[in-house]
Amino acid sequence: MEDFEFYTPTKVIFGKNAELQIGREIASRGYKKVLVHFGGTYLRETGEIDKIHRSLEDAGLTYVDLGGVVPNPRLSLAKEGVDLCKKEGVDFILGVGGGSAIDSSKAIAYGLVNDFPLEDLFLGKEKTDKIAPIGCITTIAATGSETSNSTVVTIETQDQGILKRSYNHDCARPLFAAMNPELTYTLPVYQTASGAADIMMHTMERYITQAKNVELSDRISEGLLVTVREAALKALTDPRDYEARANLMWAGSLSHNGLTGTGRINDFPVHKIGHELSAMFDATHGASLTATWSAWAKVVYKSNPARFARFAVKVFGVEMNFDDMEKTALAGIEAWDEWCRKIGMPTSITDLLGKTPSEAQMEEMAEKAAATGGGTIGLFHRLTKEDLVDIYKKAL
Ligand code: NZQ
Ligand code: ZN
C-alpha cells in the first residue's frame, strides 16, 4: 500500500429536504450575501429555486442569482460570475446542480480571491491554495464534485482552440453538500445513465492500477461498483425508486472523494481521452467515458491481465478461467460494454457522436490528451500520442 493523505472536510447533509437546510448552514458560518449559481430551466420549472431562496431568506441572508451554466461549463461564465460577486459584495457561493454548476461555482470562488487571470490556473501557469467559501446542492448523482478536490472547465483559447482542463486542490472541497436523492427524480434518462457510468468510472480508474496490497481499497471499490451497477438499472426502471437514487447519490460522492483510491496512485487516463471528445464535440462527460473505456482496456489489459480478471469476477460475476486469465479479463471488458448498452450508454465514438471523427481530429485529440501528461499518460500502461490515436480508432 502506498502512503497517502485523505482529506474530506465537506459536511454532507443527506436525505429528504436536505436542500432546505442550506440557509442555516451558511448563516451559522457568518456569511451574509450568497451567489446562487445554477444551469438551465429545471430548477425553475420544479419550483426548487424558490425553496432555495426561501431557505436563504429565512436565515436572514441576501442573495443574487446567476443561471446559465451549460454542461461542460465555460470559463467565460465563471468570469462573469467573479465580476458579479465583486459588484454585489457576495461572500459565499452556492452551486446548485450537477458537476457543471458546482465546478463553475468553484471557478468563480477561485477567481474571487486570486489576482491572476483565471484561465492561467487551468492552463497550468498558476497554482493557488486560496478559494472563496463554497457550498452546494447536488441535483444529479454523477461527478462527485460536491466532495471532490477537482474543478473542470472548458476554456475558449485564442491559440489552442477549445480546451477542457482541470485544477485539483483540496481547498476546492465544498464546506457542505446538501444531497436530496428526490431531487434526481426529474433527471432525463440519459443523464441518469451517464451519471451512473461516471460514478463507475471514478472507481474503475482508481481500481485498475498496478498497485499491490490494497485489499481494503479493492473491496470497498468492488462493493461500490456492484451497488452502482444494480442501482442504475433500478433507477432507470423506476425513476422514483428512492433507495436506488440514494445509493447512486452517495456512491457518486464516495467514488470521487478519494476513498476508493487510498493506497494507490492514479492518473485517470480514460478521463483524459474522454475530455478531448467533450472539448471538441461537446460530448456528455459520462458518455464520453463509456464510448472509449473498452478500447482503452483492450489496448492495455495485457500489462496486468489478473487485475482485469479480478474486475470481471468481482464486479460482473464472470467465472474465473484459471487456465486463461486473459479470457476472463476480456469477458469482463465485454460485460462492462453490455452493462453500458443496457443503461443506454454508447460503447463507441460513432454511437456517441452519431458520426466518425476525421483522422486529423483524432490526431489533435491524441496530441492534446498526451500533452496533459507532458507527452504520455497512463500509469497502468504508458500511452504515447500514437497509442492514443490507436485507442480513438479502436473506439470508432
Ligand atoms: O443545465 P441544467 O438545467 O442544470 O440541467 C442539467 C444539465 O442539462 C441537467 N440536470 C441536472 N440535474 C437535474 C437535471 N435535469 C433535471 N433534473 C435534475 N435533477 O443535467 C444536465 C447535465 O448536468 P451536468 O452538471 O453537466 O452533469 P454532470 O453532473 O455529469 O457534470 C458534468 C461536468 O462535470 C465534470 C465533467 O467533465 C463535466 O464538465 N466533472 C467534474 C468532476 C469534478 N469536479 O470532480 C469530475 C468528473 O470526472 C467530471 O470531469
Ligand atoms: Zn468523471
Side-chain angles (χ1 to χ4, degrees):
M1 192 190 286
E2 302 286 338
D3 297 345
F4 65 88
E5 289 184 10
F6 180 56
Y7 178 70
T8 50
T10 306
K11 175 175 177 180
V12 172
I13 307 160
F14 194 96
K16 294 177 183 171
N17 294 323
E19 74 279 18
L20 305 185
Q21 297 185 44
I22 51 105
R24 210 174 53 211
E25 282 298 322
I26 299 169
S28 70
R29 290 173 166 84
Y31 301 109
K32 303 277 182 234
K33 184 150 190 183
V34 179
L35 176 77
V36 184
H37 192 39
F38 53 92
T41 53
Y42 82 94
L43 286 173
R44 293 192 200 285
E45 281 161 12
T46 55
E48 200 54 44
I49 200 76
D50 303 326
K51 289 192 203 166
I52 293 164
H53 287 158
R54 258 198 314 279
S55 170
L56 297 172
E57 285 159 7
D58 291 350
L61 297 161
T62 53
Y63 60 84
V64 55
D65 282 347
L66 179 62
V69 182
V70 292
N72 300 318
R74 307 300 191 267
L75 192 67
S76 48
L77 181 68
K79 286 177 159 187
E80 279 177 40
V82 175
D83 293 342
L84 181 66
C85 288
K86 285 182 179 163
K87 189 172 132 233
E88 295 281 342
V90 163
D91 59 7
F92 191 92
I93 296 156
L94 178 70
V96 185
S100 297
I102 299 171
D103 285 359
S104 188
S105 302
K106 290 178 179 179
I108 294 172
Y110 275 124
L112 207 48
V113 293
N114 290 287
D115 287 333
F116 48 72
L118 201 42
E119 49 270 48
D120 287 357
L121 188 61
F122 299 98
L123 296 174
K125 296 180 190 166
E126 291 283 354
K127 286 185 175 164
T128 186
D129 58 1
K130 281 195 292 183
I131 194 164
I134 42 175
C136 62
I137 299 173
T138 312
T139 65
I140 169 171
T143 65
S145 182
E146 65 273 3
T147 58
S148 84
N149 68 354
S150 183
T151 308
V152 188
V153 292
T154 296
I155 313 166
E156 284 131 355
T157 67
Q158 297 286 353
D159 48 341
Q160 297 177 77
I162 297 177
L163 297 176
K164 185 164 178 170
R165 292 289 178 268
S166 60
Y167 180 72
N168 299 336
H169 194 285
D170 278 338
C171 69
R173 296 185 196 268
L175 295 178
F176 66 79
M179 299 167 65
N180 176 359
E182 288 182 328
L183 294 188
T184 65
Y185 289 171
T186 50
L187 275 169
V189 167
Y190 193 75
Q191 291 298 340
T192 296
S194 174
D198 191 24
I199 298 169
M200 294 287 276
M201 287 293 315
H202 289 158
T203 288
M204 285 158 64
E205 295 251 50
R206 292 176 164 96
Y207 179 86
I208 298 182
T209 59
Q210 302 287 4
K212 296 199 171 53
N213 305 320
V214 280
E215 198 55 32
L216 178 60
S217 296
D218 277 350
R219 289 183 180 193
I220 293 171
S221 301
E222 288 154 1
L224 187 145
L225 291 169
V226 170
T227 305
V228 175
R229 196 198 81 203
E230 293 172 354
L233 293 170
K234 287 184 189 161
L236 287 166
T237 308
D238 176 7
R240 301 179 78 84
D241 181 332
Y242 181 84
E243 299 307 331
R245 292 291 192 182
N247 274 303
L248 285 176
M249 197 171 230
W250 188 218
S253 298
L254 295 184
S255 200
H256 205 38
N257 71 357
L259 176 67
T260 60
T262 48
R264 38 187 170 215
I265 299 167
N266 322 104
D267 78 334
F268 281 65
V270 184
H271 270 68
K272 289 173 180 164
I273 292 167
H275 279 346
E276 296 308 326
L277 285 161
S278 293
M280 192 174 281
F281 301 103
D282 210 16
T284 301
H285 173 60
S288 76
L289 306 176
T290 62
T292 49
W293 186 83
S294 62
W296 167 83
K298 284 176 195 160
V299 167
V300 307
Y301 79 97
K302 286 191 177 162
S303 292
N304 189 345
R307 194 69 198 153
F308 276 90
R310 176 168 172 158
F311 169 74
V313 172
K314 300 283 185 182
V315 179
F316 283 102
V318 171
E319 202 174 322
M320 178 67 91
N321 182 334
F322 289 99
D323 298 329
D324 193 343
M325 195 77 89
E326 290 194 9
K327 251 194 186 145
T328 314
L330 285 169
I333 296 169
E334 180 47 36
W336 160 260
D337 268 354
E338 200 183 309
W339 178 79
C340 291
R341 285 191 287 269
K342 257 191 210 158
I343 63 167
M345 281 288 104
T347 53
S348 72
I349 293 177
T350 315
D351 271 3
L352 170 74
L353 305 176
K355 62 178 181 187
T356 306
S358 67
E359 291 268 343
Q361 287 173 322
M362 288 189 280
E363 287 272 331
E364 186 184 330
M365 289 191 289
E367 171 108 42
K368 285 179 172 171
T372 63
T376 61
I377 57 168
L379 294 174
F380 182 83
H381 179 109
R382 274 274 151 217
L383 298 164
T384 60
K385 180 196 157 189
E386 288 67 37
D387 296 325
L388 291 165
V389 172
D390 184 38
I391 290 174
Y392 282 120
K393 286 187 177 166
K394 285 195 164 76
L396 294 176

